[in-house]
Amino acid sequence: MVKYKEKSASETEERILEAAKHEFMRFGIEGTSIQQIADAACINKSLVHYYFRTKEKLFKRIFIEAFSSFISHVEDIINRDISFQKKIEQIIESYIDLLKNNSYLPGFIIHEVNRNPDRLFELIQNANIKPQKIINQISIEIEKGKIRKVDPRHFFINVLALCIFPFIARPLLQRIFFNNNEKNYMKFIDERKKEITEFIIQSIKS
Amino acid sequence: MVKYKEKSASETEERILEAAKHEFMRFGIEGTSIQQIADAACINKSLVHYYFRTKEKLFKRIFIEAFSSFISHVEDIINRDISFQKKIEQIIESYIDLLKNNSYLPGFIIHEVNRNPDRLFELIQNANIKPQKIINQISIEIEKGKIRKVDPRHFFINVLALCIFPFIARPLLQRIFFNNNEKNYMKFIDERKKEITEFIIQSIKS
DNA sequence: AATTAATTTAACCATATGGTCAAAAATACA
DNA sequence: TGTATTTTTGACCATATGGTTAAATTAATT
């Protein structure tokens, strides 16, 4: 008689996942060896194969999770029952918070998507991304005269750009503007929430 | 008697450089093998070593060139003797044009800088980057009351973000918003010049 | 034409990699 | 306690990689 398995992933399994995430995020799939992951997890190399079969499978697991956390956030807020302006504020606030805790997330996704665009194909269908929703909401605000006439797609991309870019370009910006001082850069990022919000609100005043 | 050498790089050498640029940009240094570069250049693998000794040396050459073209552009425009608003317009216009012809440029730099931040150290000194200049110019505009009070650093980063992000995230955006239709995306990017300019000008109206 | 120098090629090397496998160790089960 | 099952380990394999070297080919020089 077989008991209910998988009641919880074994500790080693989770250690591997965490180590893999850490390494993949920084160095990409090509820049990360299984040995490297094993070392980071303080386990034997073969265990990685024991739990995840192949590097590709392990990578996919990490990638899908990362990708989901990257886009589901926005989807979530868009569906909330609050004013348009509040939505903008919350998207900015929560997106920046997410990225503060996952600095490498956007760069990771972008690199891997560039390296192998096919990966997206399957993923986007599963993820069921519907940008139309946010686009429509913006259009409605324009019709109501609440904001000036802007292309909703451009506007949406602008919001994303302003939030995400400082993290993607962090090594550069931190060094150039803050003498590579991490704390100061993070303070700057926090200020940014207010700054971006004002910037955007001002830019769409009708 | 030795003649003046290096009158011009040999054709093979340039073929290698071009192929290396192409491959490195897309797949990074780890994701690109010398064989891959040789194949792309249609030459024997050993020739790569003959002309550039090591992969790292070849990579550095490509990286430095890419990095320079990436930042010198802005520096250049900042020093022109035109109005502040014109500068903004020109930075946007010419930056987007640069990226249109070098789609992979920003992603490439960001990935490699993340993977090996030390690379920046030596480079930034050589490049002699002085962000203070643009920062000062923005401050002056604020003092003159020409634009509203904004943090110059945030403002500068905003301009960069709005220009660069659509290229970094291109595989994603192109797929989600344009059914992966390249032409339509490029049309969109062109529209963007005007769109961003308006967006920014509007956002700093005093 | 003969010689010298530069370019190209193929064979080779050491190493690192992803992955397999069978034995050992630990755990669960009866 | 003894057996079956799961987890861990180390040895091993085929392959790809960056790089070297010496020979072959081509171009330049006299």
Side-chain angles (χ1 to χ4, degrees):
Chain A
M1 170 129 301
V2 180
K3 277 229 224 122
Y4 287 98
K5 299 278 275 324
E6 306 289 336
K7 52 180 175 177
S8 74
S10 82
E11 199 205 312
T12 17
E13 197 176 337
E14 259 166 38
R15 285 249 293 285
I16 294 172
L17 278 171
E18 223 167 296
K21 184 177 169 187
H22 188 265
E23 303 301 306
F24 280 149
M25 287 264 183
R26 274 174 180 69
F27 309 111
I29 187 174
E30 311 276 7
T32 306
S33 71
I34 291 192
Q35 187 62 58
Q36 197 177 324
I37 294 170
D39 290 348
C42 296
I43 48 101
N44 186 288
K45 193 191 95 169
S46 290
L47 280 179
V48 179
H49 289 106
Y50 177 73
Y51 282 104
F52 299 96
R53 298 294 301 269
T54 70
K55 186 183 177 183
E56 181 67 25
K57 279 199 170 66
L58 174 56
F59 176 80
K60 228 168 201 166
R61 169 94 172 250
I62 302 289
F63 183 75
I64 288 173
E65 196 190 311
F67 189 77
S68 304
S69 79
F70 191 59
I71 63 161
S72 68
H73 238 252
V74 184
E75 288 275 328
D76 178 40
I77 293 169
I78 286 168
N79 288 324
R80 289 184 192 163
D81 193 21
I82 50 179
S83 76
F84 183 73
Q85 180 156 339
K86 271 265 176 296
K87 277 181 193 173
I88 300 292
E89 280 170 29
Q90 285 189 16
I91 285 177
I92 293 168
E93 164 95 24
S94 86
Y95 222 62
I96 286 184
D97 280 339
L98 168 74
L99 297 184
K100 266 175 70 180
N101 296 322
N102 300 271
S103 276
Y104 292 96
L105 187 57
F108 168 67
I109 288 169
I110 276 146
H111 176 69
E112 297 302 342
V113 157
N114 267 295
R115 209 189 51 87
N116 183 359
D118 292 336
R119 236 189 269 286
L120 263 185
F121 199 73
E122 20 175 344
L123 231 144
I124 277 188
Q125 262 130 356
N126 293 9
N128 190 24
I129 301 169
K130 22 184 163 29
Q132 208 49 49
K133 190 145 192 178
I134 180 77
I135 300 299
N136 287 342
Q137 290 188 15
I138 299 170
S139 302
I140 288 170
E141 293 297 304
I142 295 172
E143 278 170 35
K144 287 196 289 187
K146 292 283 183 74
I147 62 178
R148 76 178 173 92
K149 205 167 169 262
V150 291
D151 182 322
R153 293 170 306 183
H154 282 292
F155 175 68
F156 181 54
I157 290 175
N158 290 353
V159 176
L160 293 183
L162 293 170
C163 291
I164 296 172
F165 183 77
F167 291 94
I168 299 180
R170 177 175 167 182
L172 276 168
L173 299 176
Q174 184 170 297
R175 215 166 205 122
I176 293 174
F177 287 111
F178 297 92
N179 268 316
N180 211 22
N181 183 310
E182 200 171 323
K183 269 189 187 162
N184 288 349
Y185 192 68
M186 275 308 161
K187 216 186 294 170
F188 181 73
I189 291 285
D190 269 326
E191 282 168 33
R192 221 175 142 68
K193 289 179 190 171
K194 211 179 126 227
E195 197 80 25
I196 299 178
T197 309
E198 276 176 29
F199 191 79
I200 289 173
I201 300 296
Q202 171 91 12
S203 76
I204 53 172
K205 268 185 184 163
S206 60
Chain B
M1 169 129 303
V2 180
K3 276 230 225 119
Y4 287 97
K5 299 276 280 323
E6 307 288 333
K7 53 181 173 177
S8 74
S10 83
E11 198 205 313
T12 17
E13 196 175 338
E14 260 167 36
R15 284 249 293 285
I16 294 172
L17 278 171
E18 223 168 295
K21 186 177 169 188
H22 188 266
E23 303 300 306
F24 281 149
M25 287 264 183
R26 273 173 181 68
F27 309 111
I29 186 174
E30 312 275 8
T32 307
S33 70
I34 291 193
Q35 188 62 58
Q36 196 177 325
I37 294 171
D39 289 349
C42 294
I43 48 101
N44 185 287
K45 192 191 95 169
S46 290
L47 281 178
V48 178
H49 289 107
Y50 178 73
Y51 282 104
F52 299 97
R53 301 294 301 269
T54 70
K55 185 184 177 182
E56 181 69 25
K57 278 198 170 68
L58 174 55
F59 177 80
K60 228 169 201 165
R61 170 95 171 251
I62 302 288
F63 183 75
I64 289 173
E65 197 190 309
F67 189 77
S68 305
S69 79
F70 190 61
I71 62 162
S72 68
H73 237 253
V74 183
E75 289 275 327
D76 177 40
I77 292 169
I78 286 167
N79 289 325
R80 289 183 192 165
D81 195 21
I82 50 179
S83 76
F84 182 73
Q85 181 156 338
K86 270 265 176 296
K87 277 182 193 173
I88 300 292
E89 280 170 27
Q90 285 189 17
I91 285 177
I92 293 168
E93 164 94 24
S94 88
Y95 222 62
I96 287 183
D97 280 340
L98 168 73
L99 298 183
K100 266 176 69 181
N101 296 322
N102 300 272
S103 276
Y104 293 95
L105 187 56
F108 168 67
I109 289 169
I110 276 147
H111 176 69
E112 297 302 343
V113 157
N114 267 295
R115 210 187 51 87
N116 184 358
D118 291 337
R119 236 188 270 284
L120 264 185
F121 199 73
E122 21 174 344
L123 231 145
I124 277 189
Q125 264 131 354
N126 294 9
N128 192 24
I129 301 169
K130 24 186 163 28
Q132 207 50 48
K133 190 146 192 176
I134 180 76
I135 299 299
N136 286 343
Q137 289 187 15
I138 298 169
S139 301
I140 288 170
E141 293 297 304
I142 294 173
E143 279 170 34
K144 286 197 289 186
K146 293 283 183 72
I147 63 177
R148 78 180 171 90
K149 205 166 168 259
V150 291
D151 182 324
R153 292 171 307 184
H154 282 293
F155 175 69
F156 181 53
I157 290 175
N158 290 352
V159 176
L160 293 183
L162 292 170
C163 290
I164 296 171
F165 182 77
F167 291 94
I168 299 180
R170 177 175 166 182
L172 275 168
L173 299 176
Q174 184 170 294
R175 224 177 196 111
I176 292 174
F177 287 110
F178 297 92
N179 269 316
N180 212 22
N181 183 311
E182 199 170 324
K183 269 189 188 162
N184 288 349
Y185 192 68
M186 275 309 162
K187 218 186 293 171
F188 181 73
I189 291 285
D190 270 325
E191 282 169 31
R192 220 175 142 70
K193 289 178 188 170
K194 210 180 127 228
E195 196 78 25
I196 299 178
T197 310
E198 275 176 30
F199 191 80
I200 289 173
I201 300 296
Q202 171 90 11
S203 76
I204 53 172
K205 269 186 182 161
S206 61

